[in-house]
Amino acid sequence: MMLARTHTLRSLNKHVSRASFATAPKKYAESRPDGGGPGGRSSNPGITVAVFGAGGFLGRYVCSNLGEIGSKTYIGNRGDEFELRHLRPMFDLGRSRFVFYSARDRDSMAEVIADADVVVNLIGKYYETKTLSDKPSFPYIDYKTNYSFEETNVEIAKTIAELCTEMQVDNLIHVSSLAASPDSKSEWARTKFAGECAVKEAYPWATIIRPTQLFGYEDKLLNFFANQAAMAPFGYVPMVDGGQALTQPVFMDDVANVITNVVGNAEGYEGKTIDCFGSRDFTYKELAEFVYDITSQYPELIDVPKSVMLNIAKITQFQPNPMMTPDLVELWSEDYVAKSPEWYESQVGADKVLTMADLGVEATPIEKIAFRYLHRFRKGGHFVLAEGYHGIHQEK
């Protein structure tokens, strides 16, 4: 296949004899021996990174870290260039390159990769995107799937991995999920697992990052509960099967730091699987109550059977950026947590599954972060918590 660019030739034998896994992770802001500068912003760490899915929730924080360490970064962009303009200030002038591509065009994806040393795949969507199309018969308009879970989580991931092999890219970081399972009732989770398998088959030395649900400023988790309460008819918020399934949210910045640490020592983590999870687990009901304790919203949480919630979600799935879909109902009715600490400690050998702690990243407690972006749902914001503020304000 003719590629759109001339790429730097790399040795295929590089992956036959690999350096042993480094147990002591390097601080990602340190200067590299083949780089320039003291390390950090305005330095040249001597590494080029291509990022797919940079416009997503996690992607912006990964890009921020890459800009902070001075990496030259190629950012894949499927739409108008202004859609990703918020990423430009994260990089020094000339250290970022935005490349248009189509996920159905291998050559354009190869242009994003170009001469990158490391490729990071963050592509993913919690719902299948839809689009309007023409129909020959009445009503002459059809509502069809644009990108399915299969295409997004498996086919695109496989294409990126195959291109990395063909173009002899040094390292590939693929972000999957801890919910990935062939036995899940959620198609999203099943295709995430299939995507992992496809990536490993096409690029066996890929590093797989598997986070639990992400929380952070733009999340679809804690903000979901707060938004639900703000829009709840008659003050009721439905909980799938009473919200008894478990979740173990992880701070998005912690996962971004893990990815950046892997970029800084990619050879040391080749072929490894890294699980990223929070410091404690919650039921969804406990998580909702935690959110409402911060926001001072006190809706009534009602137990809705999964079968009923599925029927409701069949309607709400047609909203732009839907808050609930049938597949999300399936996902939120299953436990979304890591394995026990004893299980991770028992792992030995080359196939040992790592955690954030193995990369020197400590899980940030959800209690330390949530107030920062949830207090805006309070009537009066955080000012209502300041004793005497209103009286002093009125006197002035």
Side-chain angles (χ1 to χ4, degrees), residues 71-327:
S71 294
K72 187 176 181 181
T73 305
Y74 303 153
I75 298 172
N77 176 25
R78 294 195 302 120
D80 187 277
E81 62 176 329
F82 291 108
E83 291 180 5
L84 299 182
R85 60 186 173 185
H86 60 283
L87 301 180
R88 292 184 182 274
M90 298 177 180
F91 298 89
D92 287 339
L93 187 63
R95 301 303 293 172
S96 62
R97 171 175 168 264
F98 292 78
V99 186
F100 176 80
Y101 79 99
S102 168
R104 297 185 174 110
D105 181 1
R106 289 176 67 96
D107 286 348
S108 67
M109 297 176 77
E111 285 206 21
V112 177
I113 297 173
D115 61 344
D117 303 299
V118 180
V119 172
V120 182
N121 177 24
L122 301 165
I123 293 175
K125 202 74 171 180
Y126 71 94
Y127 63 95
E128 294 183 321
T129 54
K130 309 286 185 179
T131 186
L132 291 173
S133 63
D134 294 333
K135 187 178 179 181
S137 58
F138 185 83
Y140 307 111
I141 294 178
D142 190 20
Y143 199 56
K144 69 175 186 179
T145 300
N146 186 17
Y147 281 96
S148 66
F149 287 133
E150 178 73 20
E151 189 169 10
T152 302
N153 296 333
V154 183
E155 295 176 16
I156 294 175
K158 180 180 179 181
T159 299
I160 292 173
E162 288 174 345
L163 285 171
C164 287
T165 300
E166 293 171 11
M167 299 169 67
Q168 301 174 38
V169 173
D170 291 345
N171 304 100
L172 168 63
I173 300 171
H174 174 75
V175 177
S176 181
S177 169
L178 256 175
S181 170
D183 302 320
S184 174
K185 293 182 179 179
S186 163
E187 185 181 359
W188 179 86
R190 293 196 304 271
T191 54
K192 276 292 187 182
F193 178 82
E196 279 187 36
C197 296
V199 167
K200 290 177 181 177
E201 181 179 353
Y203 194 99
W205 46 89
T207 303
I208 307 295
I209 310 292
R210 301 192 304 187
T212 52
Q213 285 172 296
L214 301 176
F215 74 88
Y217 304 99
E218 304 90 1
D219 69 37
K220 302 288 186 182
L221 184 61
L222 304 190
N223 281 312
F224 166 83
F225 291 115
N227 281 315
Q228 280 283 82
M231 300 184 297
F234 311 110
Y236 296 114
V237 171
M239 303 297 294
V240 181
D241 286 339
Q244 295 306 306
L246 293 173
T247 181
Q248 195 171 356
V250 61
F251 187 37
M252 47 73 191
D253 216 23
D254 293 341
V255 181
N257 288 340
V258 166
I259 293 172
T260 314
N261 284 350
V262 174
V263 168
N265 184 23
E267 288 191 20
Y269 299 106
E270 285 181 346
K272 297 293 180 180
T273 297
I274 305 170
D275 287 356
C276 304
F277 47 88
S279 55
R280 57 168 295 193
D281 56 35
F282 303 81
T283 65
Y284 284 101
K285 184 177 181 180
E286 289 172 341
L287 199 60
E289 291 171 343
F290 167 74
V291 169
Y292 300 140
D293 186 54
I294 294 174
T295 62
S296 294
Q297 300 166 298
Y298 298 106
E300 185 173 347
L301 303 177
I302 59 173
D303 181 356
V304 178
K306 176 181 168 182
S307 58
V308 175
M309 200 65 191
L310 282 171
N311 288 326
I312 297 173
K314 287 177 182 178
I315 300 173
T316 59
Q317 68 175 328
F318 294 106
Q319 296 175 320
N321 298 316
M323 296 184 69
M324 185 58 65
T325 67
D327 197 79

Side-chain angles (χ1 to χ4, degrees), residues 33-45:
D34 56 345
R41 198 173 293 279
S42 298
S43 294
N44 180 8

